[in-house]
Amino acid sequence: MSEFDGLPVLRNPVAIAAFEGWNDAADASTAAVEHLEQVWSAREVAAIDPEEFYDFQVNRPTVTLVDGETRRIEWPTTHFSVASPPDAERDVLLIRGIEPSMRWRTFCDEILEICHSLEVERIVVLGALLADVPYTRPLPISGNAGARDSAEKFDLTPTRYEGATGIVGVLHDACTRAELDSLSFWVHVPHYANNPPCPKATLALLHRVEDVLDLPIPMVDLAEESASWERKLRVAAEQDSELADYVRELEERAVDGSMRAASGDEIAQEFEKYLRRRGGPTAK
């Protein structure tokens, strides 16, 4: 059951969604939606009742103080906010939450029910994955589209991944089955620099959102944060010859057009190799 009372009437809305957890390397995708909430002063209009979807021992509620006195419980859930970008002819529905612990199909049905009630025309789902990519180059974006013309229009590189999936893949599939136009964008985050935040990855996703919405997004602060992130990595590489050699290798592979997402086992092997070279502890 969703928690809302009287949804607003929106203008040609498009939904942008992202979820914390397995789909959100370096928190890059949820940071993109959070950025949109802030720069467009989004207002919350609905939330999904978390009782049926979350294991509260995994995603625990938090206690906050209101006015320094009253204790309030905040439950992990998925929130729906509406933004009205300046001078735009459409509204944007922003969906930000946590990958559920259970009942994923029902969870997706509730999301689609709210989107249907708000007459959403398209859902764009954002994700972030760990990959063997150089931080010095534009971070690749892969993804899927419900329609072939959309894939061509937005120059989507189809992913050939097979294996376990997360709520981003499940929601995208639910949209396709419901015949709702949908897109998913996955930014490739350097696995050797995966500690959040990763502003360069967030920026890459927001540029794709700009393309879909055909709207400018204020990103000055984020661009500065991205440049600072790159500078820190450059300094780290200057102080670590093994990291510098590895990045150069990735750059050469990028020129050859052989970049691809790294599998979980490959990433673990790269981490162990990197730590072994530096004399650090490795997994047993």
Side-chain angles (χ1 to χ4, degrees), residues 11-247:
R11 305 166 300 155
N12 309 313
V14 169
I16 312 293
F19 301 90
E20 297 176 20
W22 191 81
N23 317 266
D24 193 23
D27 299 346
S29 61
T30 48
V33 174
E34 186 175 12
H35 180 84
L36 295 175
E37 291 171 349
Q38 294 174 353
V39 298
W40 285 338
S41 302
R43 61 193 186 282
E44 185 171 329
V45 296
I48 289 180
D49 185 341
E51 191 72 18
E52 298 181 354
F53 304 111
Y54 295 99
D55 179 345
F56 295 135
Q57 290 182 323
V58 175
N59 296 292
R60 290 184 178 272
T62 58
V63 176
T64 59
L65 291 177
V66 180
D67 298 327
E69 297 181 359
T70 306
R71 293 167 64 85
R72 181 176 64 191
I73 300 291
E74 294 184 356
W75 296 91
T77 189
T78 294
H79 298 276
F80 298 74
S81 302
V82 171
S84 300
D87 303 320
E89 297 180 357
R90 68 164 72 248
D91 295 312
V92 181
L93 177 67
L94 300 172
I95 305 170
R96 182 163 61 95
I98 305 168
E99 183 176 71
S101 306
M102 59 199 79
R103 303 188 67 189
W104 284 20
R105 288 178 293 183
T106 303
F107 179 81
C108 290
D109 288 343
E110 291 217 10
I111 289 178
L112 294 183
E113 179 185 354
I114 294 176
C115 288
H116 177 73
S117 298
L118 291 168
E119 299 184 347
V120 167
E121 299 178 344
R122 167 183 282 162
I123 294 183
V124 180
V125 194
L126 306 180
L129 56 87
L130 296 178
D132 45 352
V133 294
Y135 75 90
T136 53
R137 302 292 177 83
L139 298 182
I141 299 280
S142 58
N144 291 291
R148 179 175 297 180
D149 58 344
S150 293
E152 294 175 352
K153 178 179 180 181
F154 298 111
D155 192 25
L156 274 173
T157 302
T159 176
R160 299 183 63 82
Y161 170 79
E162 293 181 303
T165 190
I167 196 62
V168 169
V170 173
L171 178 58
H172 183 79
D173 179 71
C175 292
T176 300
R177 289 186 287 104
E179 298 183 345
L180 176 62
D181 187 18
S182 60
L183 296 164
S184 63
F185 294 115
W186 289 83
V187 64
H188 296 209
V189 176
H191 69 80
Y192 50 88
N194 65 338
N195 290 332
C198 183
K200 186 169 183 174
T202 297
L203 197 61
L205 287 173
L206 288 172
H207 283 313
R208 288 306 187 105
V209 172
E210 280 187 320
D211 292 341
V212 173
L213 298 179
D214 194 24
L215 292 172
I217 298 173
M219 290 190 276
V220 174
D221 291 344
L222 195 57
E224 293 175 353
E225 291 168 12
S226 178
S228 176
W229 178 84
E230 284 198 57
R231 284 194 297 271
K232 290 178 181 178
L233 278 176
R234 189 178 305 113
V235 170
E238 290 171 352
Q239 298 173 349
D240 185 336
S241 61
E242 297 290 348
L243 176 59
D245 289 343
Y246 182 55
V247 172

Side-chain angles (χ1 to χ4, degrees), residues 245-261:
D245 289 343
Y246 182 55
V247 172
R248 278 193 293 271
E249 177 186 339
L250 294 178
E251 290 174 332
E252 292 171 0
R253 288 159 61 180
V255 172
D256 294 338
S258 58
M259 298 307 303
R260 61 180 178 82

